[in-house]
Amino acid sequence: MIRIKNAEFITSAVKQNQYPESVHPEVAFVGRSNVGKSTIINALTNRRKLAKVSNTPGRTRLVNFFLINGQAMLVDLPGYGYAKISKSDKAAWGKIIEDYIVNSPNLKRFVLLVDSRHKPTQDDIAMMDYLRYYEKDVVVIGTKLDKLKRNDIKKSEKLIRETLQMEKEEPLYLYSSTSKENLQQVIDLVFKDLLPEEA
């Protein structure tokens, strides 16, 4: 079991020369603008306001770095797929994400967040393909589990796996930031081999 004892905001960046100088392994969170990325980061770290939660999707335009237990970096990437932004903004966001993926030597894992209530979107599929292209370790988390009926959970897992063309052994958890269901499993999965386990 991995316990998160402290988490602190380090910096925000849009390009490589603004990234913090660090030797800590990094795990990056990515997903659609309204998937609940900030909410899950706050829940995992048990800090209500660590990542800013906005009622307006698409507000995060920066790469945000958070130091976890003084030993690993959680990196919050800009959300994608928000329809009400211009093409130039979309292109700029894509460049920010790509620059980070290509230029971060400490990047160990990606956490791809999808809405468990719906079939993954074309943007989700494109992001998964993109991460596979760079041969990154990818963990998929389905958010908003509390909004699903119990007998729809297995169907949702099956739909996510099929749509993202995931192998059986590729990790997938459905999670609720409201009920905290599967919270410890998600922490253990996200920070596996990056933070030490406690007996």
Side-chain angles (χ1 to χ4, degrees):
M1 179 187 292
I2 294 172
R3 294 193 184 279
I4 295 181
K5 296 173 180 175
N6 55 66
E8 58 180 305
F9 171 73
I10 300 300
T11 191
S12 296
V14 292
K15 51 192 175 183
Q16 186 185 5
N17 64 7
Q18 298 171 334
Y19 299 163
E21 289 187 15
S22 167
V23 295
H24 299 301
E26 295 174 4
V27 54
F29 279 61
V30 66
R32 284 175 59 81
S33 297
N34 58 351
V35 78
K37 193 153 47 68
S38 298
T39 303
I40 192 172
I41 289 171
N42 290 339
L44 294 181
T45 57
N46 200 26
R47 291 276 304 277
R48 283 167 56 182
K49 295 183 179 178
L50 185 69
K52 290 184 174 66
V53 178
S54 171
N55 292 325
T56 307
R59 283 286 172 86
T60 305
R61 304 189 180 206
L62 302 165
V63 180
N64 295 308
F65 293 82
F66 305 93
L67 185 61
I68 309 298
N69 289 0
Q71 296 171 292
M73 202 74 80
L74 189 160
V75 184
D76 181 15
L77 294 174
Y80 56 80
Y82 187 51
K84 292 184 179 178
I85 63 168
S86 67
K87 285 186 177 177
S88 61
D89 269 354
K90 281 185 181 177
W93 287 8
K95 181 82 168 64
I96 290 169
I97 291 173
E98 183 171 33
D99 281 351
Y100 170 72
I101 293 173
V102 172
N103 295 316
S104 182
N106 301 319
L107 177 59
K108 302 299 181 188
R109 177 172 299 133
F110 269 97
V111 179
L112 176 60
L113 300 176
V114 297
D115 189 330
S116 63
R117 301 171 298 174
H118 308 297
K119 180 178 179 178
T121 66
Q122 285 302 315
D123 287 325
D124 294 327
I125 295 168
M127 181 55 70
M128 188 67 163
D129 290 343
Y130 188 70
L131 300 179
R132 282 189 179 123
Y133 172 80
Y134 282 106
E135 298 181 336
K136 300 298 181 185
D137 180 7
V138 183
V139 167
V140 179
I141 305 295
T143 63
K144 308 182 184 181
L145 170 60
D146 54 288
K147 301 287 200 301
L148 283 179
K149 293 177 181 172
R150 287 283 125 185
N151 57 356
D152 287 337
I153 291 174
K154 289 294 181 189
K155 292 181 201 168
S156 174
E157 289 178 348
K158 185 169 183 283
L159 184 61
I160 291 169
R161 283 191 177 279
E162 287 178 350
T163 306
L164 296 179
Q165 298 183 325
M166 296 175 66
E167 302 290 340
K168 282 183 181 177
E169 65 274 9
E170 289 186 273
L172 165 68
Y173 271 113
L174 302 191
Y175 167 76
S176 166
S177 291
T178 303
S179 68
K180 304 293 192 292
E181 186 172 353
N182 292 334
L183 174 63
Q184 189 59 54
Q185 291 93 323
V186 170
I187 290 173
D188 291 344
L189 186 63
V190 167
F191 291 102
K192 181 182 178 183
D193 301 326
L194 305 183
L195 291 175
E197 293 191 32
E198 294 187 0

